[in-house]
Amino acid sequence: MIDSSTTALYVAQNINIHKKKVTVITNSIKTVEELQDSKWVKIICIGGSLRKTTKSFSGTQALFQLSNLYANKAFISCTAIHNKFGVTDDSEREGEIRKKMLLNSEKVFLIADKTKFDDLESHLIAKLDEVDYIITEQELSKEWEEDLKENKVKLIYA
């Protein structure tokens, strides 16, 4: 599963570059466009209400469709990550989609640049211990590394 964030779009681009044979479940028009011509990728697109600003589908219909789909891995992003409160989003509807993707996947990869850390938004996606991996581009503080280790979250610098 790949959410509708621009950060998660990089995952789709890497799937394309490395010619991975996978099934991708997404609510993102941009991800579908990225992968539509790949002969290695099967795409399952979640419908629902179109959010034009993010070119994504959300709402009750999207959540219903996701409730019947499962994946080995979910690649999601967020608006903010707080070491006490967890992974949060500024959009209730996007947050609900991300939460459902997380719940219906065996492994959860949170993709976030360093600017998302030590921030907080109003809609909870997940507690830190519900995330298996965090992928980020810059080294985090020792405090963050310890918090993640304590919550059994593996940190990947990419």
Side-chain angles (χ1 to χ4, degrees):
M1 294 191 187
I2 300 176
D3 76 7
S4 62
S5 67
T6 52
T7 309
L9 182 59
Y10 290 115
V11 173
Q13 291 168 344
N14 275 291
I15 288 170
N16 229 357
I17 289 167
H18 297 291
K19 301 177 182 176
K20 296 289 183 186
K21 187 175 181 176
V22 296
T23 298
V24 172
I25 301 167
T26 188
N27 67 321
S28 169
I29 293 172
K30 292 176 186 177
T31 296
V32 171
E33 289 174 341
E34 175 65 33
L35 298 172
Q36 69 185 352
D37 295 325
S38 172
K39 58 184 172 186
W40 302 278
V41 179
K42 176 183 172 185
I43 302 168
I44 299 173
C45 186
I46 302 306
S49 298
L50 176 63
R51 186 172 181 215
K52 292 180 182 179
T53 56
T54 58
K55 291 190 174 184
S56 64
F57 296 100
S58 62
T60 306
Q61 185 62 35
L63 288 170
F64 176 75
Q65 289 176 10
L66 274 174
S67 69
N68 295 306
L69 294 168
Y70 301 92
N72 299 102
K73 298 174 184 172
F75 292 90
I76 62 168
S77 190
C78 64
T79 308
I81 309 168
H82 192 276
N83 56 0
K84 179 179 178 185
F85 298 106
V87 183
T88 58
D89 208 293
D90 62 353
S91 166
E92 180 179 13
R93 296 180 92 188
E94 293 288 343
E96 288 173 343
I97 295 294
R98 291 179 173 120
K99 186 183 291 189
K100 182 57 83 174
M101 287 181 166
L102 177 147
L103 292 172
N104 286 14
S105 297
E106 291 177 353
K107 295 286 181 190
V108 176
F109 293 79
L110 178 67
I111 309 162
D113 63 63
K114 194 171 180 186
T115 64
K116 310 271 173 108
F117 290 84
D118 295 317
D119 205 358
L120 180 63
E121 287 293 343
S122 53
H123 303 286
L124 179 67
I125 297 171
K127 296 289 188 182
L128 284 177
D129 64 359
E130 296 175 285
V131 173
D132 298 299
Y133 299 87
I134 290 181
I135 303 170
T136 190
E137 86 290 7
Q138 290 183 16
E139 194 168 320
L140 300 177
S141 69
K142 293 295 177 201
E143 180 185 354
W144 261 108
E145 287 185 357
E146 287 300 316
D147 286 344
L148 295 176
K149 189 175 184 179
E150 202 172 283
N151 283 285
K152 297 181 171 70
V153 179
K154 294 175 183 76
L155 187 57
I156 300 170
Y157 292 113

